[in-house]
Amino acid sequence: MLDFNIRGENLEVTPAIREYVEKKVQKLERYFTEGANATAHVNLKVYNDRQTKVEITIPMKNLTLRAEERHDDMYAAIDLIVDKLERQIRKYKTRVNRKFREREGVAAFLQSVEKEKNVQEEAAHDEAEFQVVRTKQFDLKPMDQEEAILQMNMLGHSFFIFTDAESDGTQIVYKRRDGKYGLIETN
């Protein structure tokens, strides 16, 4: 049973919006076990450029589902985010099923081969998502944050690792979705 906490920033949450969110997100309940209670925290934001951002977080006992989506149409963003959450749930269930099969042994696995065929195909796809396909090695050049941002932009990357000239520490600059820059400092 899902409860809803729906908030709007720069936006009034109308009954129509609330009903649409609840209708779409309740479709995820079919993946939950009986008696599972959770609260879906939904944030709806509208920016100056009229783009909307939808964030949904569903904290549960062993898992926290979270996704966000930006789109010009809020209803389309809600549809896309529910699809993302559904993929997360299927991925989690695939991993749980795999661990269960490993514990139960070959007999239990053979009984469920036909039923698990689609799950295995999806698991193979999920494993491919985390495959490292390229490795790079390079020396970190000492520079300041401004030079690192210039280097990142010249390379066309969304992040850049460098050695800070003053502290001699490794730092990372990155481009945020809002077009501004962030800095990660290591200890």
Side-chain angles (χ1 to χ4, degrees):
M1 174 82 181
L2 274 177
D3 294 324
F4 289 89
N5 177 8
I6 303 173
R7 291 182 344 153
E9 291 183 29
N10 301 330
L11 164 82
E12 179 185 344
V13 179
T14 64
I17 293 172
R18 178 177 296 281
E19 183 180 321
Y20 190 81
V21 168
E22 289 179 2
K23 177 183 162 199
K24 290 295 185 173
V25 176
Q26 279 177 339
K27 291 180 179 181
L28 300 174
E29 285 184 343
R30 68 178 182 230
Y31 294 104
F32 301 157
T33 57
E34 285 293 318
N37 290 326
T39 301
H41 301 280
V42 183
N43 276 346
L44 307 170
K45 298 179 184 178
V46 177
Y47 295 100
N48 291 338
D49 60 357
R50 292 289 181 222
Q51 191 174 48
T52 61
K53 178 179 174 183
V54 178
E55 298 175 8
I56 298 180
T57 306
I58 306 174
M60 297 176 1
K61 184 179 177 184
N62 298 323
L63 172 71
T64 297
L65 298 170
R66 186 184 185 294
E68 67 179 57
E69 187 66 44
R70 286 178 180 250
H71 201 278
D72 293 334
D73 178 12
M74 182 175 40
Y75 291 97
I78 293 167
D79 292 343
L80 291 169
I81 204 167
V82 169
D83 291 342
K84 277 185 180 180
L85 290 169
E86 200 166 10
R87 283 193 304 272
Q88 285 181 15
I89 293 169
R90 284 199 308 267
K91 183 185 290 188
Y92 176 75
K93 286 198 174 248
T94 299
R95 289 182 182 149
V96 169
N97 286 340
R98 188 180 314 135
K99 287 180 183 176
F100 179 75
R101 281 196 312 267
E102 289 169 0
R103 273 188 250 129
E104 291 295 309
V106 177
F109 176 73
L110 292 175
Q111 290 176 352
S112 63
V113 166
E114 194 60 45
K115 186 173 144 185
E116 296 293 323
K117 195 176 202 177
N118 291 339
V119 173
Q120 290 171 352
E121 290 172 0
E122 188 174 311
H125 176 69
D126 291 345
E127 289 171 5
E129 288 181 25
F130 299 114
Q131 183 181 11
V132 176
V133 294
R134 186 173 179 187
T135 302
K136 289 184 178 181
Q137 293 180 342
F138 57 95
D139 294 324
L140 298 179
K141 177 185 169 195
M143 61 180 75
D144 62 11
Q145 297 169 11
E146 193 173 317
E147 185 179 351
I149 291 171
L150 290 171
Q151 289 286 328
M152 176 183 68
N153 288 334
M154 283 193 310
L155 293 170
H157 290 178
S158 57
F159 70 95
F160 189 80
I161 303 170
F162 66 101
T163 300
D164 185 59
E166 287 182 28
S167 69
D168 204 37
T170 303
Q171 297 186 355
I172 303 166
V173 291
Y174 62 95
K175 191 163 195 164
R176 297 167 36 100
R177 287 186 179 154
D178 62 6
K180 296 178 182 171
Y181 299 98
L183 176 70
I184 299 173
E185 297 176 321
T186 60
N187 293 332

